[in-house]
């Protein structure tokens, strides 16, 4: 199952909004086939493993990281493929929370005489597909907040100037993180001050969808987000100003306002409807603070520099409490990276 999970990770963001799934076939103690879901709309992991089999899979055992699907979608049911190939036993890491499956795949296999065991490395499987699980269960993406702060806990001097705090190794990690999510979100002020591209450049990977919150659609179209054509751009704006428009340079998506600003939860629901399962918030302080205050952040990547800013205005809004679990704390060049997760993944696993 560990090997199957490693295979599943290779699917990356290319399989979204489908889950990342890996499958290993074993017969007489030997691995005879392996596969993973490689791209959305393509063959599922079980089918890829069967195609890879070097010998007849009759009476073989399959190790699958997620419950095999049981319905016709973009591909036929994987339960059919397993049964028709003569697989004798299936070990499954976790059931699929999709209401269209959710145990049905396991029931079909058992009804057809296949022995089924579940719960093998379930926590690791849930962690691997945390974005998919949340999207299926809540209709919203898994939200990762990224912030770079000084040694004295400031994000920058003020909201009208750009402050570089972290080094090259941290920037590479951020680009790698971008390659692993569906979309990256920034606020209007960050778009104006930094004019970022929000693309993957320091590592290999696909560019995420770029999302900018611009309540009244006032950002200039000369920004990189609109003119470089490097990735899809979405503008979240007030439903009072837009009914939803697709242009050659971006898609305008209307969102309900709350107290004169875009409602953060409605922003997530709007992105969920666009099949975005993982969202990285890169700033600035205002948008991070609003999502954090509304308890809408699932994971935090906090890069802490050795620099001191002294008399600065932009304090760090991301404060870890007992509701957060620090998963990793490592050096990132001269910086320190802390990765923390909210204590709710356990509920999703259950």
């Amino acid at each position: 199952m560990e090997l199957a999970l490693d295979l599943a990770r290779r699917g990356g963001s290319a399989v979204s909004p489908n889950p990342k799934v890996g499958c290993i076939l074993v017969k007489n103690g030997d691995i005879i086939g392996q596969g993973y879901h490689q791209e959305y709309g393509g063959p599922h992991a079980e089918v890829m493993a069967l195609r890879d089999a070097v010998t007849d899979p009759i009476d073989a055992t399959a190790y699958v990281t997620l419950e095999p699907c049981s319905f016709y979608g973009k591909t036929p049911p994987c339960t059919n493929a397993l049964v028709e190939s003569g697989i004798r036993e299936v070990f499954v890491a976790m059931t699929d929370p999709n209401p269209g499956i959710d145990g049905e795949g396991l029931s079909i296999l058992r009804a057809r005489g296949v022995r089924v065991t579940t719960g093998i490395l379930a926590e690791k499987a849930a962690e691997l597909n945390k974005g998919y699980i949340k999207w299926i269960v809540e209709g919203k993406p898994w939200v990762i907040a990224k912030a770079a702060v000084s040694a004295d806990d400031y994000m920058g001097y003020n909201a009208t100037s750009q402050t570089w705090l972290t080094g090259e190794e941290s920037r590479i990690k951020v680009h790698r993180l971008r390659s692993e999510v569906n979309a990256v979100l920034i606020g209007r002020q960050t778009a104006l001050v930094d004019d970022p591209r929000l693309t993957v450049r320091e590592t290999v990977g696909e560019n995420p969808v770029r999302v900018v919150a611009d309540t009244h659609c006032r950002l200039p179209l000369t920004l990189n987000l609109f003119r470089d054509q490097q990735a899809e751009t979405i503008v979240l704006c007030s439903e009072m100003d837009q009914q939803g428009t697709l242009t050659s340079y971006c898609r305008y998506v209307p969102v309900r306002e709350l107290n004169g600003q875009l409602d953060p939860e409605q922003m997530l629901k709007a992105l969920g409807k666009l099949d975005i399962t993982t969202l990285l918030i890169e700033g600035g302080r205002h948008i991070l603070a609003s999502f954090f205050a509304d308890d809408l952040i699932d994971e935090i990547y906090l890069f802490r520099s050795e620099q001191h800013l002294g008399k600065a205005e932009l304090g760090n809004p991301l404060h870890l409490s007992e509701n957060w679990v620090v998963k990793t704390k490592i050096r990132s060049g001269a910086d320190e990276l802390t990765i923390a997760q909210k204590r709710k993944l356990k509920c999703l696993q259950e």
Side-chain angles (χ1 to χ4, degrees):
M1 193 63 79
E2 288 277 13
L3 180 55
L5 287 166
D6 287 341
L7 282 173
R9 290 185 184 93
R10 297 184 188 179
S13 60
V15 305
S16 186
N18 282 353
K20 295 184 280 285
V21 184
C23 178
I24 302 291
L25 303 180
V26 177
K27 185 173 182 178
N28 298 326
D30 296 321
I31 292 176
I32 64 167
Q34 51 189 310
Y36 66 97
H37 188 31
Q38 298 184 8
E39 61 180 353
Y40 178 67
H44 289 185
E46 298 91 331
V47 173
M48 296 295 286
L50 289 168
R51 290 180 181 177
D52 183 63
V54 296
T55 188
D56 196 323
I58 289 178
D59 290 334
T61 298
Y63 293 82
V64 191
T65 59
L66 188 69
E67 176 183 5
C69 65
S70 55
F71 61 85
Y72 284 88
K74 291 186 176 294
T75 61
C78 292
T79 50
N80 288 6
L82 291 170
V83 170
E84 291 167 3
S85 67
I87 295 295
R88 177 190 62 197
E89 186 171 17
V90 177
F91 288 89
V92 177
M94 63 173 289
T95 56
D96 192 332
N98 188 327
I101 306 175
D102 197 15
E104 183 177 337
L106 303 181
S107 297
I108 290 174
L109 290 174
R110 289 180 174 124
R112 300 289 293 275
V114 179
R115 292 198 298 271
V116 177
T117 302
T118 62
I120 312 299
L121 299 183
E123 288 189 8
K124 289 188 177 182
E127 172 68 22
L128 176 65
N129 280 309
K130 55 196 176 188
Y132 168 76
I133 294 171
K134 186 182 177 187
W135 178 67
I136 285 291
V137 174
E138 300 182 25
K140 298 181 292 188
W142 178 269
V143 180
I144 303 170
K146 184 233 81 177
V149 299
S150 64
D152 45 357
D153 218 29
Y154 289 101
M155 292 183 64
Y157 286 108
N158 52 56
T160 58
S161 62
Q162 190 177 41
T163 306
W164 285 103
L165 291 170
T166 54
E168 181 180 1
E169 189 169 329
S170 294
R171 286 196 294 274
I172 291 173
K173 284 184 170 62
V174 171
H175 280 254
R176 189 175 299 125
L177 184 56
R178 285 180 188 171
S179 74
E180 296 170 353
V181 300
N182 298 146
V184 177
L185 170 67
I186 60 172
R188 180 177 184 275
Q189 191 65 16
T190 298
L192 282 173
V193 173
D194 295 352
D195 191 16
R197 286 177 281 176
L198 302 181
T199 52
V200 176
R201 302 184 299 280
E202 302 290 342
T203 188
V204 177
E206 297 293 323
N207 291 329
V209 175
R210 304 176 296 194
V211 185
V212 57
D214 183 19
T215 306
H216 301 297
C217 306
R218 293 174 181 169
L219 284 171
L221 300 182
T222 54
L223 295 176
N224 286 318
L225 294 172
F226 300 123
R227 64 181 178 82
D228 67 8
Q229 301 295 308
Q230 294 299 304
E232 179 184 352
T233 297
I234 292 174
V235 175
L236 298 178
C237 53
S238 172
E239 62 184 6
M240 304 298 291
D241 294 327
Q242 274 277 352
Q243 296 304 309
T245 304
L246 179 62
T247 71
S248 61
Y249 50 86
C250 76
R251 176 197 295 267
Y252 290 95
V253 176
V255 175
R256 189 172 63 205
E257 285 187 51
L258 180 66
N259 299 324
Q261 299 180 0
L262 299 183
D263 184 336
E265 183 159 12
Q266 294 304 312
M267 292 165 69
L268 294 183
K269 289 182 177 180
L271 294 175
K273 289 178 181 178
L274 296 175
D275 291 347
I276 290 173
T277 64
T278 48
L279 175 69
L280 173 63
I281 304 178
E282 287 210 31
R285 186 190 186 284
H286 177 77
I287 200 163
L288 285 170
S290 62
F291 275 78
F292 190 77
D294 287 354
D295 196 26
L296 296 174
I297 295 173
D298 302 294
E299 193 168 5
I300 291 174
Y301 276 63
L302 188 65
F303 294 87
R304 189 173 297 278
S305 167
E306 293 181 334
Q307 296 183 53
H308 286 75
L309 294 186
K311 295 181 179 180
E313 298 175 7
L314 296 182
N316 171 25
L318 307 177
H319 300 290
L320 302 181
S321 65
E322 67 277 1
N323 294 325
W324 292 86
V325 178
V326 174
K327 310 290 286 188
T328 303
K329 182 174 283 192
I330 58 173
R331 298 303 302 177
S332 179
D335 310 316
E336 180 184 75
L337 169 61
T338 299
I339 303 175
Q341 222 174 73
K342 196 159 57 176
R343 293 183 186 274
K344 73 175 184 179
L345 185 60
K346 187 172 185 289
C347 298
L348 292 181
Q349 292 166 353
E350 292 171 350

